[in-house]
Amino acid sequence: MEELDGEPTVTLIPGVNSKKKQMCFDWGPGEMLVCETSFNKKESETKPGCPFIYIIRKDIDVYSQILRKLFNESHGIFVGLQRIEEELTGKSRKAQLVRVSKNYRSVIRACMEEMHQVAIAAKDPAIGRQFSSQVSILSAMELIWNLCEILFIEVAPAGALLLHLLDWVRLHVCEVDSLLADVLGSENPSKHDSFWKLVTILVLQGRLDEARQMLSKEADASPSSAGMCRILGDLMRTMPVLSPGNTQTLTELELKWQHWHEECERHLQDSTFASSPHLESLCKIMLGDEAALLEQKELLNNWYHFLVTRLLYSHPTVKPIDLHLYAQSSLDLFLGGESSPEPLDNILLAAFEFDIHQVIKECSIALSNWWFVAHLTDLLDHCKLLQSHNLYFGSNMREFLLLEYASGLFAHHSLWQLGVDYFDYCPELGRVSLELHIERIPLSTEQKALKVLRICEQRQMTEQVRSICKILAMNAVRNNRLGSALSWSIRAKDAAFATLVSDRFLKDYCERGSFSDLDLIDNLGPAMMLSDRLTFLGKYREFHRFYGEKRLTDAASLLLSLMTSQIAPRSFWVILLIDALPLLEEKEVVFSAEQTYELMRCLEDFASRRPVWREPGVQRIQEDVENTKLEMLRLALARNLGRAIIKEGSLEGS
Amino acid sequence: MDLQFFDQERIVAASSTGCVTVFLHHPNNQTLSVSQQWTAAHYHTGPGSPSCGSAPCTGVVCSNPEIVTVGEDGRINLFRADHKEAVRTIDNADSSTLHAVTFLRTPEILTVNSIGQLKIWDFRKQGNEPSQILSLTGDRVPLHCVDRHPNQQHVVATGGQDGMLSIWDVRQGTMPVSLLKAHEAEMWEVHFHPSNPDHLFTCSEDGSLWHWDASTDVPEKSSLFNQGGRNSTFLSHSISNQAGVHQSLISSWLSTDPAKDRIEITSLLPSRTLSVNSLDVLGPCLVCGTDSEAIYVTRQLFS
């Protein structure tokens, strides 16, 4: 059993007095049921306890209106990634995976934007604060993801690595642009309050072209420092950088950079910038002087910015494996022993150390929702970076996280459809989990039920189809919608239920003497074959139709076949026999002699097996009525037999 | 579960709680307010159903000033705007669920149900029986949507649970004129284009939205013409005989000459999505909504 990494959070259940009463709980697929028990009850207590049963769900983010878009969009990206997996080969594989990663990040950013707008527009400050904190969480997520993309997916080599890290930092510090616009927009930029602050930030971020432009404005404004500005500007211009299309090797770059570094050093030694403290500190920054950089702590804002700037100006050709050393020392220097690292810092450090498992573990603990770790782990798994790290409960990490995330989705009344696709791509436990969850989706309308059934049928989950159709059919029967009940039992090919529905119809007929829902029974079609009772119902109705259309011989033979084929229920035999009466009484002879013999046999069969009535009073009347009916039948049959024999005897050979 | 415009300002919405609501749209501040509501338009009354058991209202159709709604309780309601109670209710019109409804002529409506039958009801007649029942013999496939041809009131298109598109002529017999194998899953909605009725649109659970083009005067349109999606041609498979009638009088949907009539089908959504639940079309604009909570709009349908 793994040890706990942190104290679990305590959630208080309203209304339950956890100090005095004992609670009981039970786990469900995604939720927990909790209620108070009567244990620990003291004699003197007469106040009733809490009468409620509580359902506790862990995942509340699922219900956020704005995060919904995140879930929907990322689902599309996830499914797309799984589908192109087979086509990903060779060189283009990395590019495609980077593209997928960028897609995920753009979705996070879009969500952040929207939440930011809502936070600003919120009228209630508490809600505004809540949204703002969500924005910062999303921003942190994007920061981590971006770093993972650079280190694990892009796998940038030395040289290019620094460029990516620079981009990373620039993306996450956005005040620079607004400040730039501010200063440039003012009448006299070089006299603006924040002018030097701006130039410093530009240098810290490695945006030397823009810094040079600002310096040239300063040079125009104050001729005394024009010379120094020009020199510094030249230094900025000549700094060797690895540009993407450049074919320089790393050693060439290293050499040139060394040369440039020495030149800057020389200018500093010569006190070229002595008269302007701003320019001097800029030069020191460009030399990578740690003290100078630490002076700008406020502008740097966080240790990873410090790290990247430090690397830019002291080790531009840093190799990926050396990163963690610089990262650790940067963190220590920046914090300076005043504060301890926060969870985000630990996650970033773990990333710099290329310890993917640690990153994911820390993120799982820090974040309230499985979305981030599930998707990131899946992407890294496609990059073939995760060894099959088997957890204690059988599945690997990727699958475990995806299962957790998808289970959370199923708690939502509409996002469960996304969860289905996630389960599909979990090879070991996905199907079983899906079977478990899909039966528990509340089916409020038929359309929703049809969607669920379609999902089950596509995956050959016949058990679930049957069980869901049975629930729906039972509901329909309760609501007196016998046609719906029948169509559900036909869909599930459930013969037993079809029998139940037919019995209902036949019972209605016995009670009322006519059929309800003729539109259904008349048009059963091949579905009639689903169950014997249903076939009987259909054929019996056909018999009525024949009789109505005066097709008496057809009616007669049908009636006979109904009786002899044994599909009629016992309780109905009386009715069938009584139905034969009008046919027997017709002027023409409808039943042939053979048929009449058959009928007689059926009659005697029935009479001999009549059920014994238990209640004496009812028994008498019932028996009398029965006996009268049987007598009438016997008489009619005998008469018919006579006429039939005569008729058959008198015609030539028919 | 269904929405329709009642007039320029009002929209009627049918809900799964059995409630029918008329919303009023205020263009000046882009809001909606409830103008009228019938809360228990559809409900279950069975021996086992709870006393306040509501039933989803599955379809609504409007023809100013009348509104007709149908629901899972097999009930048909005729409302009039500004009348508090239903003007006419046909209880137990169907023993199964009524999925959709459309007007044929103003006093006549046509409903489709989950045992694959089309029923025509005439409000001028008393009694609770349909004036005509049409169905396909063979498998009882539930029908989910229906739409009437804008100009020819006897031509109706329906979509079923197996994704099959059927075209019916309600004057002739009880069988459909053509059956076209279309989608791989339930077809949720079918619409004729209101001003170009030779164009038909269907959307389905399998995540696709198809544009069916049956216009016959297209000699230069070759099958290589790509409207931004999969392009295939189908032959219409007709099963009834209508020899001897002038071609110009028959709608291109009812034509029976397989060699001459080629319906061109284009898929309008760029990639596979979750189910497309609903669509509407007017002029050059088409809008549809999917289960991944996305709404797609195109404003250049025929370009």
Side-chain angles (χ1 to χ4, degrees):
Chain A
M1 183 70 180
E2 294 215 358
E3 72 283 352
L4 291 173
D5 298 285
E7 284 302 310
T9 49
V10 177
T11 312
L12 288 170
I13 316 281
V16 169
N17 192 342
S18 54
K19 291 192 184 61
K20 295 207 181 131
K21 295 275 182 68
Q22 192 168 0
M23 293 196 282
C24 68
F25 69 94
D26 195 17
W27 283 107
E31 306 157 332
M32 192 164 93
L33 289 178
V34 165
C35 73
E36 244 182 25
T37 61
S38 308
F39 299 131
N40 280 0
K41 198 161 122 172
K42 300 190 182 56
E43 292 304 321
S44 51
E45 276 183 36
T46 48
K47 209 171 59 160
C50 175
F52 300 121
I53 297 180
Y54 288 91
I55 303 177
I56 302 180
R57 283 193 197 118
K58 190 171 159 247
D59 200 338
I60 48 165
D61 288 336
V62 175
Y63 291 92
S64 156
Q65 287 294 80
I66 301 175
L67 286 181
R68 247 174 123 143
K69 293 188 197 156
L70 184 70
F71 299 136
N72 275 298
E73 291 287 316
S74 58
H75 164 261
I77 302 173
F78 175 85
V79 173
L81 175 61
Q82 313 302 314
R83 286 202 190 125
I84 62 171
E85 168 64 27
E86 304 89 48
E87 304 160 13
L88 289 181
T89 45
K91 287 213 176 74
S92 66
R93 187 189 172 94
K94 191 171 93 158
Q96 295 242 33
L97 288 170
V98 169
R99 200 153 15 131
V100 171
S101 176
K102 287 196 193 319
N103 277 342
Y104 274 123
R105 273 176 39 220
S106 66
V107 169
I108 301 178
R109 287 198 87 89
C111 216
M112 234 163 71
E113 261 305 311
E114 198 179 328
M115 218 177 259
H116 186 65
Q117 298 299 325
V118 173
I120 297 176
K123 297 202 182 76
D124 181 4
I127 295 189
R129 272 196 299 277
Q130 196 181 22
F131 276 118
S132 296
S133 72
Q134 286 257 11
V135 173
S136 57
I137 294 177
L138 281 173
S139 167
M141 274 164 46
E142 209 255 321
L143 184 76
I144 302 170
W145 193 301
N146 201 346
L147 185 61
C148 291
E149 181 185 312
I150 296 170
L151 296 175
F152 303 134
I153 305 175
E154 184 89 52
V155 196
L161 177 62
L162 188 63
L163 291 176
H164 281 114
L165 285 175
L166 264 178
D167 279 333
W168 174 61
V169 161
R170 283 179 198 160
L171 202 55
H172 288 96
V173 182
C174 22
E175 300 91 51
V176 185
D177 290 313
S178 53
L179 193 57
L180 187 65
D182 229 4
V183 170
L184 281 178
S186 70
E187 279 178 20
N188 215 340
S190 54
K191 297 290 175 259
H192 197 283
D193 284 339
S194 315
F195 177 75
W196 286 111
K197 183 169 144 193
L198 175 65
V199 180
T200 318
I201 293 186
L202 287 173
V203 170
L204 287 172
Q205 291 209 335
R207 290 157 83 158
L208 294 175
D209 286 334
E210 287 159 300
R212 239 183 58 226
Q213 279 173 7
M214 302 307 288
L215 278 184
S216 66
K217 291 210 190 317
E218 164 72 5
D220 293 338
S222 63
S224 56
S225 52
M228 290 193 288
C229 287
R230 199 175 34 82
I231 297 176
L232 195 58
D234 276 342
L235 280 178
M236 287 179 181
R237 188 173 48 86
T238 52
M239 174 169 166
V241 236
L242 186 75
S243 45
N246 215 324
T247 50
Q248 303 179 305
T249 63
L250 219 53
T251 19
E252 274 179 35
L253 179 68
E254 178 100 40
L255 229 53
K256 284 191 189 162
W257 185 83
Q258 202 58 38
H259 193 76
W260 175 85
H261 190 87
E262 279 161 16
E263 200 183 322
C264 290
E265 185 89 43
R266 196 173 37 86
H267 277 287
L268 197 64
Q269 300 289 356
D270 294 344
S271 305
T272 326
F273 307 112
S275 43
S276 165
H278 289 291
L279 291 175
E280 182 150 325
S281 83
L282 280 180
C283 188
K284 282 193 186 158
I285 290 173
M286 281 166 57
L287 278 173
D289 183 44
E290 274 170 25
L293 286 175
L294 283 171
E295 264 169 43
Q296 308 298 336
K297 241 193 199 175
E298 208 186 287
L299 290 179
L300 285 171
N301 203 24
N302 42 48
W303 65 275
Y304 40 93
H305 195 341
F306 172 60
L307 164 70
V308 175
T309 312
R310 190 174 152 215
L311 288 173
L312 175 65
Y313 292 121
S314 53
H315 304 96
T317 53
V318 62
K319 295 200 205 59
I321 42 171
D322 295 329
L323 262 184
H324 69 102
L325 297 162
Y326 293 113
Q328 184 66 54
S329 60
S330 301
L331 177 64
D332 295 333
L333 280 172
F334 195 84
L335 292 179
E338 289 163 0
S339 44
S340 55
E342 295 190 349
L344 176 62
D345 301 327
N346 288 329
I347 296 171
L348 292 174
L349 259 184
F352 283 121
E353 286 166 17
F354 285 83
D355 189 351
I356 299 183
H357 292 292
Q358 187 68 16
V359 170
I360 293 173
K361 185 169 152 193
E362 301 253 354
C363 287
S364 311
I365 297 173
L367 293 168
S368 61
N369 183 283
W370 293 104
W371 179 87
F372 180 75
V373 282
H375 287 89
L376 184 62
T377 311
D378 174 63
L379 185 56
L380 292 176
D381 188 64
H382 281 282
C383 302
K384 311 258 189 286
L385 287 171
L386 298 174
Q387 310 115 348
S388 55
H389 178 113
N390 274 326
L391 301 173
Y392 292 104
F393 8 86
S395 60
N396 64 23
M397 181 149 67
R398 167 187 173 267
E399 190 162 313
F400 169 71
L401 293 171
L402 284 176
L403 287 173
E404 287 290 320
Y405 173 62
S407 303
L409 284 177
F410 265 90
H412 193 273
H413 61 87
S414 145
L415 289 176
W416 59 270
Q417 286 178 290
L418 306 178
V420 172
D421 279 315
Y422 286 102
F423 280 134
D424 278 344
Y425 290 108
C426 292
E428 275 183 45
L429 294 174
R431 192 186 162 92
V432 177
S433 308
L434 183 59
E435 281 174 10
L436 186 66
H437 278 101
I438 205 137
E439 273 184 317
R440 287 167 174 76
I441 298 174
L443 300 172
S444 45
T445 65
E446 278 196 11
Q447 200 169 358
K448 193 167 177 185
L450 286 170
K451 285 178 192 280
V452 173
L453 283 172
R454 179 65 57 177
I455 289 170
C456 292
E457 279 169 6
Q458 275 171 350
R459 291 159 181 76
Q460 278 95 42
M461 293 181 176
T462 40
E463 268 313 303
Q464 278 68 31
V465 170
R466 280 184 143 235
S467 113
I468 292 172
C469 282
K470 208 172 276 232
I471 295 173
L472 292 165
M474 206 56 221
N475 266 340
V477 167
R478 262 195 228 118
N479 290 328
N480 220 14
R481 309 261 95 243
L482 294 175
S484 291
L486 199 59
S487 73
W488 288 120
S489 40
I490 290 172
R491 177 145 185 181
K493 304 198 194 349
D494 191 349
F497 212 90
T499 310
L500 195 122
V501 177
S502 327
D503 276 337
R504 263 292 279 273
F505 276 117
L506 291 172
K507 195 164 84 109
D508 280 348
Y509 176 77
C510 286
E511 280 166 19
R512 270 183 290 178
S514 67
F515 282 109
S516 57
D517 306 320
L518 277 176
D519 61 340
L520 172 64
I521 310 173
D522 276 343
N523 298 302
L524 281 174
M528 236 200 292
M529 301 303 148
L530 185 61
S531 109
D532 280 347
R533 198 57 52 82
L534 197 56
T535 318
F536 170 72
L537 182 65
K539 291 287 176 198
Y540 187 59
R541 172 66 200 144
E542 210 177 313
F543 162 72
H544 274 268
R545 270 215 313 274
F546 282 158
Y547 190 78
E549 291 163 16
K550 298 285 177 213
R551 292 162 58 181
L552 299 174
T553 25
D554 293 327
S557 38
L558 182 56
L559 184 62
L560 197 58
S561 64
L562 281 178
M563 279 199 276
T564 50
S565 62
Q566 309 285 337
I567 58 172
R570 283 276 144 204
S571 48
F572 226 72
W573 276 47
V574 181
I575 300 180
L576 285 178
L577 287 167
I578 303 295
D579 280 333
L581 259 179
L583 288 173
L584 292 167
E585 301 293 332
E586 284 284 322
K587 279 216 203 88
E588 293 176 23
V589 174
V590 177
F591 284 102
S592 71
E594 271 304 312
Q595 289 175 327
T596 318
Y597 283 128
E598 278 295 320
L599 273 175
M600 287 168 136
R601 191 183 59 74
C602 289
L603 177 60
E604 294 315 315
D605 215 6
F606 171 74
S608 62
R609 289 198 225 167
R610 254 186 310 165
V612 180
W613 296 102
R614 288 200 193 96
E615 301 157 39
V618 181
Q619 180 188 349
R620 239 358 195 353
I621 304 172
Q622 289 274 16
E623 260 195 48
D624 283 346
V625 170
E626 288 270 316
N627 287 336
T628 327
K629 285 189 197 164
L630 292 179
E631 284 310 315
M632 281 171 61
L633 265 172
R634 289 204 180 93
L635 186 58
L637 280 169
R639 279 214 294 264
N640 192 58
L641 186 58
R643 292 193 305 172
I645 293 177
I646 295 173
K647 177 179 165 203
E648 281 164 27
S650 55
L651 289 171
E652 286 86 359
S654 68
Chain B
M1 293 189 63
D2 201 5
L3 276 183
Q4 185 149 86
F5 269 99
F6 181 67
D7 57 19
Q8 288 282 5
E9 295 171 323
R10 285 181 285 183
I11 304 163
V12 182
S15 152
S16 61
T17 56
C19 169
V20 179
T21 319
V22 181
F23 289 97
L24 185 59
H25 174 235
H26 307 275
N28 46 357
N29 56 359
Q30 295 296 332
T31 54
L32 288 172
S33 62
V34 174
S35 141
Q36 193 172 5
Q37 198 172 52
W38 295 281
T39 45
H42 290 278
Y43 52 93
H44 283 303
T45 51
S49 52
S51 56
C52 51
S54 62
C57 176
T58 50
V60 72
V61 70
C62 307
S63 158
N64 210 333
E66 292 175 336
I67 302 170
V68 178
T69 70
V70 293
E72 276 186 23
D73 54 351
R75 182 169 282 117
I76 302 178
N77 286 320
L78 173 65
F79 295 105
R80 208 160 264 159
D82 307 327
H83 278 54
K84 257 183 68 179
E85 298 298 323
V87 169
R88 174 102 185 262
T89 302
I90 304 180
D91 278 326
N92 213 18
D94 201 304
S95 62
S96 66
T97 303
L98 288 168
H99 283 292
V101 65
T102 183
F103 270 105
L104 279 182
R105 282 186 291 263
T106 317
E108 279 188 347
I109 57 167
L110 185 138
T111 62
V112 291
N113 66 9
S114 51
I115 25 182
Q117 296 170 326
L118 286 83
K119 294 188 183 174
I120 301 182
W121 306 83
D122 191 337
F123 283 124
R124 290 169 300 198
K125 291 195 198 148
Q126 295 305 313
N128 287 352
E129 293 304 314
S131 53
Q132 197 181 353
I133 300 184
L134 302 93
S135 68
L136 193 57
T137 54
D139 270 329
R140 304 254 137 250
V141 177
L143 293 173
H144 286 295
C145 51
V146 69
D147 195 26
R148 192 203 74 192
H149 193 284
N151 306 332
Q152 296 171 315
Q153 292 172 334
H154 52 90
V155 177
V156 157
T158 64
Q161 201 172 87
D162 53 356
M164 194 99 91
L165 173 69
S166 327
I167 312 282
W168 306 70
D169 183 343
V170 299
R171 299 170 307 190
Q172 315 246 352
T174 59
M175 300 272 284
V177 169
S178 19
L179 282 174
L180 301 163
K181 179 93 184 74
H183 295 280
E184 293 153 8
E186 287 91 346
M187 188 188 296
W188 291 125
E189 284 208 14
V190 63
H191 282 275
F192 281 101
H193 192 286
S195 41
N196 289 17
D198 283 339
H199 297 263
L200 184 77
F201 298 88
T202 60
C203 69
S204 156
E205 173 75 24
D206 67 2
S208 58
L209 193 155
W210 289 9
H211 169 188
W212 305 65
D213 186 348
S215 29
T216 47
D217 51 1
V218 280
E220 66 279 341
K221 203 191 235 175
S222 69
S223 54
L224 296 171
F225 179 60
N226 199 330
Q227 276 190 19
R230 208 173 65 234
N231 198 330
S232 51
T233 40
F234 267 67
L235 291 176
S236 81
H237 168 66
S238 59
I239 53 180
S240 77
N241 246 329
Q242 287 187 23
V245 190
H246 291 296
Q247 188 75 5
S248 55
L249 291 179
I250 309 179
S251 146
S252 42
W253 296 104
L254 296 180
S255 314
T256 62
D257 191 344
K260 251 171 49 180
D261 300 315
R262 303 169 76 208
I263 302 180
E264 199 157 305
I265 305 173
T266 333
S267 171
L268 292 180
L269 286 178
S271 56
R272 273 168 71 181
T273 58
L274 291 181
S275 159
V276 183
N277 290 326
S278 176
L279 75 97
D280 204 1
V281 60
L282 184 67
C285 301
L286 177 134
V287 67
C288 69
T290 70
D291 262 343
S292 42
E293 304 189 354
I295 296 182
Y296 293 84
V297 179
T298 172
R299 294 197 182 88
Q300 294 159 324
L301 206 45
F302 298 112
S303 61

